[in-house]
Amino acid sequence: DKMMILKEKEQFIKKSGMLELVNFSENVDDIGGLENLKEWLERKAKIFAGLDKAIKFGVDVPKGAMIIGMPGCGKSLTAKATASLFQIPLLRLDVGRLLGKYVGESEANMRKALKLSEAISPCVLWIDEIEKAFAGVGSAGGSNEVTTRLFGQFLTWMQEKDNEVFIVATANDITRLPPEFLRKGRFDELFFVDFPNADERELILQIHLRKRNQERSIDLTKIVEKTEGYNGADLEAIVKAAVENCFIEGKVNVTEKDLLEA
Ligand code: ATP
């Protein structure tokens, strides 16, 4: 039944053209590191799972999180893992797609998109690269004024939010974000996602080796040392290349040497 309803919702979303239903297979176990963030999400998932009870008890309805950080360090992955943890659909809002050429059109689109997310809820509403969407807020000029109004509209909605739409906003560059965004009361929490440290790099390499059927315990000491400053996406690329090379060279399985060469 749940699947049927989701299929119908998917059609509905497609027709509107303003939100995108994201398909994914990732879950929290696919994230190496980011322990605080994962723990926090697990708490919120518990609240969401028993929301009526939680509200009666006096718990606030979770609003969402802002995740800021380096490219390729797992922000998108976290948005997907959130939806998987909460067991609800993941919708992506592309603010750029809301912009229309007529007066008031963009605001009307924003209103529609937010209403649509409420109609689909419970859901995760993922706003990717939010700093790009709301760049130029507060400055003069035609398009900036529209962005400023959209931004104000979104903030008001977040402030007054009384629904089961959980926002995950991701951003690379915090300096481009209007400060109002970061004030308390909008998001429940802000997270900064940095390059993985040595322990995290090991976990990330293990995750991607496991995903590619290379589960044998490989000593990763050297590769972990050599990859300081690499992000999760880089580490995944190393594993991917090593696995491919080994297959082509007819090797039985991947060793640390193969990873170092890759
Ligand atoms: P961008 O800002 O460039 O969109 P991002 O922070 O959203 O980057 P992701 O898209 O989440 O990065 O990461 C890209 C890929 O790198 C992921 O699909 C995943 O395979 C891998 N990856 C990144 N971080 C991690 C991590 N912490 N654990 C495991 N895999 C990771």
Side-chain angles (χ1 to χ4, degrees):
D1 278 11
K2 242 184 167 175
M3 281 311 286
M4 279 273 292
I5 295 170
L6 196 58
K7 277 265 169 280
E8 294 220 339
K9 285 180 175 178
E10 187 170 3
Q11 286 306 315
F12 191 47
I13 295 162
K14 267 206 188 119
K15 251 191 246 156
S16 84
M18 267 173 284
L19 295 173
E20 178 200 348
L21 187 69
V22 182
N23 287 313
F24 59 91
S25 54
E26 289 90 342
N27 61 50
V28 267
D29 298 329
D30 293 313
I31 308 176
L34 311 186
E35 295 306 326
N36 289 334
L37 175 53
K38 285 192 279 190
E39 214 172 278
W40 184 84
L41 286 172
E42 270 157 21
R43 290 171 60 100
K44 298 295 169 190
K46 263 195 200 134
I47 297 173
F48 241 75
L51 198 57
D52 292 343
K53 255 189 177 168
I55 293 171
K56 273 209 191 99
F57 194 82
V59 177
D60 282 24
V61 180
K63 288 180 185 235
M66 164 84 92
I67 305 169
I68 301 149
M70 299 299 168
C73 289
K75 295 188 298 295
S76 313
L77 194 57
T78 306
K80 293 171 189 161
T82 305
S84 134
L85 201 59
F86 285 43
Q87 295 185 293
I88 54 181
L90 176 62
L91 297 178
R92 184 158 62 188
L93 172 67
D94 180 350
V95 180
R97 259 162 68 181
L98 300 180
L99 300 177
K101 49 182 186 290
Y102 303 109
V103 175
E105 193 183 351
S106 310
E107 292 91 326
N109 285 343
M110 174 70 104
R111 197 159 43 241
K112 271 190 225 157
L114 295 176
K115 275 261 168 284
L116 183 58
S117 74
E118 286 176 28
I120 307 292
S121 73
C123 64
V124 173
L125 184 63
W126 171 24
I127 311 176
D128 199 12
E129 302 195 317
I130 198 164
E131 80 277 30
K132 284 197 187 144
F134 293 122
V137 165
S139 32
S143 70
N144 285 338
E145 274 163 33
V146 174
T147 323
T148 304
R149 280 201 299 274
L150 284 183
F151 177 66
Q153 203 182 343
F154 182 73
L155 280 191
T156 311
W157 182 78
M158 272 220 79
Q159 188 87 30
E160 295 168 354
K161 216 165 88 47
D162 180 25
N163 53 48
E164 295 176 43
V165 181
F166 187 83
I167 308 283
V168 175
T170 56
N172 285 330
D173 184 0
I174 190 172
T175 62
R176 286 178 58 197
L177 275 172
E180 298 94 298
F181 234 164
L182 307 176
R183 215 176 281 150
K184 270 277 169 196
R186 314 279 194 210
F187 293 95
D188 300 316
E189 204 63 76
L190 304 177
F191 289 94
F192 180 67
V193 171
D194 207 350
F195 287 123
N197 64 26
D199 291 341
E200 290 165 337
R201 290 200 297 280
E202 181 166 4
L203 289 170
I204 294 171
L205 287 166
Q206 278 165 353
I207 285 169
H208 290 289
L209 284 163
R210 171 162 46 83
K211 274 194 174 174
R212 290 172 175 78
N213 303 324
Q214 301 292 324
E215 307 207 46
R216 277 153 246 83
S217 47
I218 304 171
D219 183 4
L220 298 170
T221 323
K222 283 202 203 81
I223 184 84
V224 165
E225 263 172 34
K226 289 245 178 195
T227 48
E228 192 168 351
Y230 283 55
N231 66 21
D234 297 332
L235 295 169
E236 181 183 15
I238 292 176
V239 172
K240 192 175 148 190
V243 171
E244 187 184 289
N245 291 343
C246 286
F247 174 76
I248 287 174
E249 289 163 19
K251 292 186 184 166
V252 185
N253 49 44
V254 174
T255 65
E256 190 180 38
K257 194 165 154 283
D258 300 312
L259 293 170
L260 286 165
E261 275 167 14

